[in-house]
Amino acid sequence: SESSVDPTEISHFNALASSWWDPHGPSRLLHLMNPLRHTFILRCRETTPSSTLTPAKLRYLDIGCGGGIFAESAARLPTTASVTAIDPTPEVLKIAEAHKRTDPTIAAPGRLTYLNRSIEDLEVPATSEEGYDVVSIFEVLEHVNAPGPFLEQAMKHVKPGGWLVLSTIARTWTSWLVTNVMAEDVLGIVPKGTHVWSKYVNERELRTWFRQRQWGGDGGMKTMGVIYVPGLGWKEVQGSEEWGNYFFAVRRD
């Protein structure tokens, strides 16, 4: 397929658009996970070799931004130069644009830019140095048609020394029980139909895939396993990347 976008997923998330910014609604788990996203990115950047020049202000590309939970929070950071956030779901992006206008600090031109398009339709930087310092793909990989071609497109936008950071779910029987049965069918904390277990990607598969493309050398791969604890939110649990939700990052050498 020329596009990684699954039309079924577009319909599903369009239907959830109006409730995206409700902290107690269907996107509640995304709101609760957002602080850990920043913690993980900071942890990755702290391990970047000193020989790699890093700008004082970072440029972000947020792929599959949804209603803008991460994109907005990244745009507010004093260390951020700009955030470009893309998503192929039109109704969700309307919500993102409307919410952005409620905060003058991120509504300034160039600070946070939303684009209704897929990664395949985003113009590739003319030179690698014009790429982004951080390319984020949060809770997206398990919703695309073909993760390999999708990641190859995303890699083109990372500048040398920059990081591609994502979060997704391991493909195990435990994750199926937790995400498909408990979260959707029993507890109802995630809208039914959100997850397709066969689309989950294991952490070891990602490591092998990026090594084959000579990314992430010299310690440039990071993982953080996390679990959701009712009443407490998301917590880091060492080793849980083997069977459930996890963050993964790889540096472009």
Side-chain angles (χ1 to χ4, degrees):
S1 173
E2 294 182 358
S3 174
S4 59
V5 178
D6 185 336
T8 303
E9 301 281 2
I10 297 297
S11 298
H12 175 79
F13 288 106
N14 266 334
L16 300 175
S18 62
S19 60
W20 205 274
W21 281 97
D22 179 358
H24 302 291
S27 299
R28 178 171 176 266
L29 295 187
L30 299 182
H31 286 273
L32 293 174
M33 183 181 280
N34 203 50
L36 280 178
R37 295 168 172 173
H38 291 286
T39 297
F40 186 62
I41 290 174
L42 180 61
R43 189 178 297 178
C44 291
R45 291 191 51 75
E46 287 176 343
T47 64
T48 300
S50 57
S51 58
T52 302
L53 296 177
T54 57
K57 299 279 190 176
L58 303 177
R59 297 178 65 240
Y60 289 79
L61 171 63
D62 189 26
I63 303 172
C65 64
I69 296 172
F70 173 74
E72 279 199 12
S73 62
R76 293 191 185 96
L77 295 175
T79 54
T80 295
S82 66
V83 177
T84 300
I86 68 171
D87 199 286
T89 315
E91 295 304 317
V92 172
L93 272 192
K94 289 179 183 177
I95 297 298
E97 284 283 7
H99 198 270
K100 164 186 161 182
R101 291 193 292 270
T102 65
D103 186 351
T105 62
I106 59 175
R111 185 71 175 185
L112 172 57
T113 303
Y114 287 115
L115 300 174
N116 182 204
R117 63 191 63 175
S118 66
I119 186 60
E120 291 87 357
D121 296 325
L122 185 67
E123 184 178 358
V124 176
T127 66
S128 59
E129 292 299 331
E130 294 177 33
Y132 294 88
D133 302 290
V134 178
V135 173
S136 56
I137 312 172
F138 293 128
E139 305 303 306
V140 173
L141 196 61
E142 67 271 22
H143 298 290
V144 301
N145 272 328
F150 171 78
L151 289 173
E152 286 175 344
Q153 291 294 326
M155 291 165 69
K156 298 175 183 179
H157 297 270
V158 184
K159 69 185 301 183
W163 288 85
L164 187 153
V165 184
L166 62 86
S167 60
T168 190
I169 310 171
R171 192 180 62 260
T172 65
W173 288 114
T174 303
S175 66
W176 172 78
L177 180 64
V178 171
T179 61
N180 294 79
V181 178
M182 293 301 297
E184 293 188 18
D185 298 334
V186 178
L187 299 177
I189 58 176
V190 175
K192 196 168 180 60
T194 296
H195 297 113
V196 178
W197 182 80
S198 62
K199 290 186 174 183
Y200 293 177
V201 180
N202 293 328
E203 188 262 359
R204 293 182 184 180
E205 293 171 331
L206 285 175
R207 284 184 176 271
T208 299
W209 193 88
F210 279 106
R211 285 196 188 105
Q212 291 172 344
R213 285 150 184 81
Q214 299 182 339
W215 274 48
D218 192 26
M221 285 192 197
K222 303 295 178 186
T223 304
M224 182 172 73
V226 296
I227 66 171
Y228 175 71
V229 182
L232 297 176
W234 290 95
K235 301 296 179 182
E236 178 179 359
V237 177
Q238 188 173 9
S240 63
E241 65 272 11
E242 295 290 337
W243 50 268
N245 290 75
Y246 65 94
F247 287 89
F248 179 88
V250 58
R251 188 180 65 237
R252 179 175 182 178
D253 299 327

